[in-house]
Amino acid sequence: MSWRRCMTSGRSRPVVAAWLGLGLLLAACILPGTAGAVERSARGDLKRVLILHSFGREFRPWSEYARSIKAGLEQQSPWPLDIQEQALLTARFNNPGPEAPFVEYLHSLYQGAPPDIVLSIGAPAARFVQRYRGKLFPDTPMVLAVVEERLVDRVDLTDNDVVVSVRNDFMVVFDNILRVLPETKTVAMVIGASPLEQFWIDEVKRELKPLGNRVDLVWYADLPFEEILKRAAKLPPHTVLFWGLMTVDAAGIIYESDIALRSLHAVANAPIFSYQDPFFGGSTVGGPMQLTAETSRKTVDAAMRILGGEKPTAIKYEPIEFGAAKYDWRELQRWGISERKLPANSEILFREPGVWERNRWQILLIATIILVQTGLISGLLHERQRRRAAEVEARQRFADLAHANRYATVGELTTSIAHELNQPLGAILTNTETAELMLNASSPDIDEVRQILADIRRDDHRASEVIRRLRSVLKKRPFEIKEVELNDTVREAIGLVRAVADGRSIGLTYEPAFADMHVKGDPVQLQQVVLNVVINAMDAVSDAAIELREVRVSTARASNRAEIRIADSGSGIAADDLTKVFDPFFTTKPQGMGMGLAIVRTIVEAHHGTIAAENQPSGGALFTVRLPIVR
Ligand code: ADP
């Protein structure tokens, strides 16, 4: 019995109820003849509901329907309810025993105090209340709930009955099986042995006739459930299990709740299909099925209307069809059923959160970090590319500038070069004339002529050498790295300016290191360094007295560095200018460009070297170039 609602409604007015109770008690003591009336009035609007179960209170699927109906009643009833539940035990036996004792029990229970409404759950309970209505509840309205259309006993229906029936369509169930698992060859039919289950075996067989030979139906109805479990564990491929009912097996063993289904699920090597919502969620794959919600909603609706005074004849419902297909995601995964095979409007439940759902924030965070990182990396790459392009351009500009600077330098050397060329060319002319004269003689001295010719060749070589050096300095070509012997490279550069020095009466000396010094670099650019610094030195001494005009160039080895020192006897560099002389456009000369030393420093640094300017204690400037030695 359920007294919950009565208790709840009583608690809301405790003081009034206490006084009322005391008053009634006194009245009952003083006026014994009025006791029945007092009792009725204390019950107030209390509604007594009898729920009659078919097999017991915990047999699925009916237990789930009953639970849902009870919850609906308690939720929607405006009256306090007294819900009493009875179970028709006889229905669960394979050979039902006599019903009389149970009828007597109910009779004595409800005689003189019938319930306000009877709700039967399932076909056996409906049959029972219809059969014993006259004796037990002749005037009580009834709602016959959860009865399959085919099991409604229409002959015995009265004006006091409302039917909430369902319609099972087994072809729909099998269509679903063959849709999601088209390879299916055999369906093992799990069903119990009670009279109700026997009825369904015949019905299902009849209904599935149109399937013909498409699938083989194997019936387990005459097997004890233990045996069914054994077979279910070793089913051949392309077999599925159809779960009908299992209230009682062929051995007479009763299975409450969904114990049987759970044991079957634990051992079965094939997917299980059922058409009942209460079996869905843990064991069966799913598909179109009877949904408890719709049946319980209609049953509660009927009960409320009847309890509210409406005539049962006025309440009619169409049989409830299967609801939209539902599937258990876990079973779909287990049996490899693709979601693409499911009907369009189907619902997938129990989906386990994937890596994405479980780690959404972490993934988002990582993705953001990766995105930011990618952005940064591509930004940096772009920047690097830009810098490279800028470097290439700068190098190109510098090469152009250095080239222009060499032209300027050579311009300054024109006199010297002309002088250097003049000498051998003049000697060649003189020697040629001498040789001609000698050959005109009657007996020319051939040995002498040969000697003259050798001199001519030597002078020609000298002239060619000047041209070669000039051309190599003026050649426009990219920065070229090779191993260079520094002593010779410096000597060659000095050779280019020697004539200038002579012309200006400057004592230009060169003192190479004793041993060869090899550095890595571009010989033309290294010569440009020497030329620029030496020409500056010559400029610096040009104003000095002739005997004081000196430029000394030397090379030396200092540990792993090669040094080129260019010292002059000029007036030196002003202390403030020592740090500025290498800046571009710094010049103290009226016609100066201020680019010579800037180019020198750039070339030296490109060779991983250094250049320093200082004033010598004895006067004059000293420039020291240091380059890494390779050997
Ligand atoms: P420019 O020769 O066109 O002036 P440079 O860059 O070659 O450009 O030289 C910059 C300046 O450094 C010169 O104007 C001069 O003031 C100074 N300088 C360079 N070499 C010497 C030196 N040997 N003695 C004194 N001053 C020097």
Side-chain angles (χ1 to χ4, degrees):
M1 280 195 200
S2 167
W3 298 104
R4 202 155 56 80
R5 287 196 69 98
C6 307
M7 300 295 282
T8 314
S9 64
R11 261 204 308 272
S12 59
R13 298 182 298 268
V15 181
V16 179
W19 282 109
L20 191 66
L22 191 64
L24 290 173
L25 191 67
L26 279 172
C29 293
I30 299 161
L31 304 163
T34 59
V38 169
E39 194 189 324
R40 268 197 304 280
S41 128
R43 270 173 52 190
D45 282 339
L46 178 75
K47 303 288 184 193
R48 296 173 73 201
V49 180
L50 169 61
I51 294 180
L52 186 66
H53 296 269
S54 283
F55 292 88
R57 289 172 63 165
E58 291 304 332
F59 281 77
R60 281 201 196 188
W62 303 282
S63 54
E64 298 312 298
Y65 283 98
R67 229 185 294 286
S68 166
I69 289 167
K70 254 173 74 179
L73 289 174
E74 288 179 351
Q75 206 176 19
Q76 292 184 27
S77 172
W79 314 281
L81 293 179
D82 171 8
I83 300 175
Q84 303 181 5
E85 292 180 74
Q86 305 290 348
L88 184 64
L89 292 176
T90 49
R92 62 168 79 170
F93 302 127
N94 292 352
N95 301 306
E99 287 173 333
F102 184 57
V103 175
E104 283 311 317
Y105 163 72
L106 290 181
H107 181 63
S108 56
L109 207 59
Y110 295 106
Q111 192 185 17
D116 293 302
I117 192 165
V118 171
L119 304 181
S120 69
I121 309 289
R127 283 270 164 84
F128 179 88
V129 291
Q130 282 184 290
R131 200 175 311 139
Y132 296 104
R133 174 206 306 274
K135 175 162 185 168
L136 297 176
F137 323 107
D139 303 315
T140 310
M142 295 180 182
V143 180
L144 310 177
V146 206
V147 191
E148 214 280 342
E149 254 309 88
R150 283 164 269 200
L151 288 164
V152 177
D153 180 358
R154 304 216 172 262
V155 178
D156 288 335
L157 284 179
T158 71
D159 288 350
N160 234 3
D161 302 332
V162 173
V163 178
V164 181
S165 66
V166 295
R167 182 178 290 138
N168 294 339
D169 190 338
F170 296 105
M171 270 309 277
V172 168
V173 179
F174 274 67
D175 268 353
N176 171 59
I177 294 174
L178 296 173
R179 177 194 189 116
V180 300
L181 289 168
E183 307 282 286
T184 305
K185 302 250 176 311
T186 310
V187 182
M189 309 290 286
V190 182
I191 194 154
S194 68
L196 178 67
E197 285 156 324
Q198 291 296 330
F199 167 83
W200 281 118
I201 294 174
D202 296 337
E203 276 305 299
V204 174
K205 277 183 184 167
R206 192 180 54 74
E207 213 171 291
L208 293 183
K209 272 224 172 81
L211 277 178
N213 295 329
R214 171 67 183 81
V215 283
D216 195 11
L217 303 185
V218 179
W219 292 90
Y220 287 169
D222 52 355
L223 296 177
F225 191 61
E226 280 300 309
E227 181 56 29
I228 295 177
L229 289 181
K230 281 186 199 148
R231 295 199 185 184
K234 287 185 239 145
L235 291 169
H238 309 307
T239 302
V240 303
L241 286 151
F242 173 82
W243 178 258
L245 274 176
M246 183 51 67
T247 47
V248 50
D249 71 1
I253 296 172
I254 308 292
Y255 295 93
E256 263 199 339
S257 181
D258 60 348
I259 291 168
L261 177 58
R262 275 194 277 123
S263 345
L264 182 72
H265 182 256
V267 299
N269 68 346
I272 307 171
F273 288 84
S274 150
Y275 60 98
Q276 297 271 18
D277 184 29
F279 292 123
F280 178 74
S283 306
T284 61
V285 174
M289 61 184 94
Q290 266 316 331
L291 304 179
T292 44
E294 186 57 8
T295 297
S296 71
R297 190 186 65 74
K298 286 190 169 141
T299 308
V300 171
D301 175 66
M304 287 298 113
R305 286 164 70 180
I306 291 168
L307 290 173
E310 217 173 302
K311 287 252 169 295
T313 35
I315 306 169
K316 294 252 181 297
Y317 301 109
E318 285 297 309
I320 297 162
E321 310 278 348
F322 287 163
K326 288 197 290 189
Y327 294 90
D328 188 325
W329 182 84
R330 298 161 298 186
E331 292 297 303
L332 295 178
Q333 300 298 306
R334 183 174 171 198
W335 304 110
I337 299 170
S338 159
E339 289 184 24
R340 283 197 302 275
K341 289 195 176 142
L342 312 184
N345 60 343
S346 52
E347 190 185 358
I348 300 172
L349 296 156
F350 311 113
R351 203 184 277 277
E352 273 163 23
V355 183
W356 164 246
E357 281 85 2
R358 268 184 281 129
N359 305 305
R360 185 187 301 250
W361 287 113
Q362 289 88 329
I363 293 173
L364 274 177
L365 195 71
I366 291 168
T368 314
I369 291 170
I370 290 173
L371 268 177
V372 170
Q373 231 172 27
T374 313
L376 280 175
I377 290 170
S378 55
L380 287 173
L381 281 176
H382 178 71
E383 183 57 24
R384 201 172 80 145
Q385 220 170 14
R386 234 170 46 89
R387 248 198 350 238
R388 282 242 172 111
E391 272 170 23
V392 168
E393 199 184 311
R395 256 207 309 272
Q396 183 56 43
R397 291 244 170 98
F398 171 74
D400 291 348
L401 196 64
H403 188 241
N405 175 255
R406 284 200 295 276
Y407 264 106
T409 311
V410 170
E412 287 183 49
L413 303 180
T414 316
T415 342
S416 162
I417 292 161
H419 178 76
E420 261 203 88
L421 278 176
N422 258 346
Q423 264 193 343
L425 291 177
I428 288 170
L429 187 65
T430 314
N431 277 330
T432 313
E433 285 167 359
T434 312
E436 264 174 4
L437 284 174
M438 287 179 77
L439 286 173
N440 286 337
S442 51
S443 53
D445 183 347
I446 297 300
D447 280 344
E448 189 67 13
V449 172
R450 196 171 283 129
Q451 185 61 46
I452 289 171
L453 286 175
D455 286 348
I456 290 173
R457 179 176 289 121
R458 193 200 59 226
D459 287 332
D460 178 72
H461 274 155
R462 256 181 73 190
S464 311
E465 181 61 12
V466 172
I467 306 281
R468 185 192 65 75
R469 273 188 264 152
L470 207 59
R471 284 177 65 188
S472 94
V473 167
L474 293 179
K475 211 179 336 171
K476 192 171 185 181
R477 50 181 201 161
F479 194 78
E480 179 194 15
I481 301 265
K482 61 179 181 187
E483 208 172 289
V484 177
E485 204 291 301
L486 201 62
N487 290 336
D488 284 347
T489 310
V490 174
R491 179 177 290 113
E492 208 165 278
I494 288 173
L496 280 172
V497 284
R498 182 162 298 286
V500 183
D502 291 348
R504 295 197 204 166
S505 308
I506 298 168
L508 174 61
T509 58
Y510 173 49
E511 227 177 283
F514 292 119
D516 286 355
M517 290 188 297
H518 293 267
V519 297
K520 270 219 155 140
D522 183 322
V524 172
Q525 293 205 357
L526 290 175
Q527 282 178 353
Q528 188 170 4
V529 168
V530 176
L531 282 178
N532 282 4
V533 180
V534 170
I535 288 169
N536 274 346
M538 292 196 303
D539 287 348
V541 298
S542 289
D543 295 338
I546 290 185
E547 65 280 8
L548 294 178
R549 295 178 193 166
E550 263 183 32
V551 174
R552 294 181 307 280
V553 181
S554 61
T555 57
R557 189 184 187 113
S559 78
N560 59 347
R561 304 233 135 195
E563 279 185 2
I564 308 169
R565 297 161 145 262
I566 296 139
D568 63 69
S569 56
S571 51
I573 304 164
D576 286 352
D577 297 343
L578 271 175
T579 52
K580 297 184 205 152
V581 288
F582 298 105
D583 292 347
F585 308 113
F586 175 81
T587 180
T588 54
K589 301 172 192 170
Q591 307 300 324
M593 272 216 329
M595 286 306 294
L597 290 181
I599 289 170
V600 162
R601 184 171 63 178
T602 310
I603 293 174
V604 171
E605 285 174 356
H607 285 76
H608 308 289
T610 58
I611 180 163
E614 62 193 292
N615 286 316
Q616 300 175 96
S618 54
L622 167 65
F623 284 81
T624 310
V625 175
R626 294 186 179 87
L627 296 168
I629 284 186
V630 259
R631 68 190 165 92

